[in-house]
Amino acid sequence: IGRESGAPVEFFHLKVGGTRNFDKMPVALEMIESAQAEGQAVTADMYVYPASGTTLTAMLPPWIQDGGVEAMLERLNDPDMRAEVIAEMGNPEPEWENLLLLAGGPENVMLAVVASEDSTDLVGMRISEIAELWDKSVEDTIIDLIVENNGQADAVYFTMSEENLRQIVTRPYVSFASDGLAMAPSGVFLEDWMHPRSYGNFARAFAHYSREEGLVSSEEMVRRMTSLPASVLALADRGQISEGYVADLVVFDPETIQDQSTFLDPHQLSTGVDTVLVNGVVALSDGEPTGALPGQALRGRAYTGDGEGGCRSAHLDWE
């Protein structure tokens, strides 16, 4: 599509999911870089975690969920339909995306959120551990967990390879994105589980891949969190410290910046950031919010209104 239209292409949270697909990462990167060599504008972004999170029902065939949660639970309580579901779950070549298979087995799926108090003690355990504890098959364990929690149970699926993450991290055209929501560790936000990337993606990129593993310098990390994504989004007056640019600044210590959010305790702010300026106004001082609300909506290059609250447009330049 990008080649035929001339439009720039962005691969959103670039990754290879599923153990059977891990060896395809070099193929994907080679395709991207070949297109770039031919003059095509192709970039990507990523989050730096080897797992994703979604419901336990992602391990069931889609048809069982037709009609909503109540209809699904009624089917799962029917012995014949339950047997049919179990048979499909065990198919090594399903026609649907079975996250249990993508994760490589029940030992790579961790129970994260439950609705029933009877399941609370199981949070943090792998599905394989729960199956052993209950002395049941993996399939029966998954279905019983779903039924016991009225369909309201989430899991963490370790479907990505750490080695693949390292390959992506080193690419100069890959920026970093939380692929999450703007959260706060208080109030109604605490009622829902969140992937730790919502809180920790940027701090983890610095702490783990720059400071600990030395794959990318701090300066390069900064570029790929600022001027690179600003370029991809065609924001001409942001992403750099330069005359005429908006003063969006972050003061942090590369030796102490650290993600604190985890899969089991995600609502934790990262540490090591001292000061944040947004549109030239101090929004965070000595690690604490100032109460100022200087943010504004940004308009992209396709915006055709009066431009109020917007920004100048720029061409893509990721090199």
Side-chain angles (χ1 to χ4, degrees):
I1 293 173
R3 184 180 296 113
E4 294 185 11
S5 69
V9 174
E10 171 82 357
F11 283 90
F12 188 63
H13 61 205
L14 178 63
K15 63 183 180 182
V16 171
T19 54
R20 64 176 66 183
N21 299 316
F22 285 169
D23 61 353
K24 298 176 183 176
M25 190 75 257
V27 178
L29 295 175
E30 194 280 330
M31 292 175 69
I32 292 173
E33 290 159 16
S34 292
Q36 292 169 345
E38 295 172 0
Q40 204 173 342
V42 185
T43 52
D45 58 67
M46 71 178 299
Y47 60 83
V48 289
Y49 294 84
S52 58
T54 189
T55 64
L56 286 183
T57 56
M59 293 181 280
L60 303 183
W63 63 264
I64 198 69
Q65 302 174 57
D66 287 349
V69 174
E70 293 302 322
M72 176 187 68
L73 294 175
E74 184 176 343
R75 295 187 186 105
L76 291 177
N77 282 314
D78 179 283
D80 292 334
M81 299 195 80
R82 181 185 180 112
E84 187 175 347
V85 170
I86 289 175
E88 289 199 33
M89 292 173 69
N91 182 356
E93 298 292 339
E95 296 181 357
W96 49 283
E97 186 179 66
N98 184 342
L99 284 192
L100 179 63
L101 289 179
L102 286 180
E107 66 277 7
N108 295 325
V109 181
M110 181 176 70
L111 187 64
V113 179
V114 295
S116 169
E117 291 186 2
D118 294 337
S119 300
T120 302
D121 292 342
L122 303 174
V123 170
M125 295 179 65
R126 304 300 175 111
I127 295 298
S128 56
E129 295 173 323
I130 300 173
E132 183 177 355
L133 177 67
W134 285 357
D135 193 23
K136 295 181 178 180
S137 70
V138 169
E139 293 79 9
D140 279 315
T141 298
I142 293 168
I143 293 174
D144 286 347
L145 281 170
I146 292 171
V147 172
E148 185 174 286
N149 289 277
N150 291 314
Q152 306 302 311
D154 294 336
V156 176
Y157 297 85
F158 292 87
T159 57
M160 280 93 83
S161 157
E162 182 64 33
E163 177 55 35
N164 281 346
L165 291 181
R166 293 188 185 97
Q167 291 185 58
I168 306 172
V169 163
T170 60
R171 263 46 187 192
Y173 53 85
V174 176
S175 55
F176 297 92
S178 65
D179 186 35
L181 304 176
M183 306 293 292
S186 61
V188 297
F189 297 110
L190 298 178
E191 297 176 8
D192 295 316
W193 179 84
M194 289 299 301
H195 193 291
R197 64 192 176 212
S198 290
Y199 286 98
N201 192 63
F202 298 96
R204 177 172 171 77
F206 275 110
H208 185 60
Y209 293 101
S210 182
R211 185 175 68 235
E212 296 173 7
E213 298 210 356
L215 294 179
V216 180
S217 68
S218 291
E219 294 82 357
E220 175 65 0
M221 278 292 186
V222 169
R223 182 188 74 84
R224 288 163 60 186
M225 295 180 184
T226 55
S227 60
L228 174 58
S231 173
V232 170
L233 295 171
L235 308 180
D237 54 0
R238 295 172 192 267
Q240 299 183 44
I241 300 176
S242 183
E243 183 177 353
Y245 278 60
V246 174
D248 290 338
L249 304 172
V250 177
V251 179
F252 70 96
D253 185 346
E255 296 303 317
T256 62
I257 190 168
Q258 185 67 56
D259 56 308
Q260 303 296 336
S261 180
T262 67
F263 286 109
L264 294 181
D265 192 10
H267 294 285
Q268 304 292 325
L269 296 174
S270 298
T271 53
V273 177
D274 180 83
T275 304
V276 176
L277 279 77
V278 179
N279 291 316
V281 178
V282 178
L284 190 80
S285 179
D286 293 326
E288 296 294 330
T290 64
L293 301 173
Q296 66 183 48
L298 299 182
R299 310 293 186 184
R301 58 186 171 185
Y303 182 64
T304 57
D306 57 15
E308 183 178 352
C311 50
R312 300 197 308 273
S313 177
H315 295 293
L316 177 66
D317 180 18
W318 57 265
E319 295 181 311

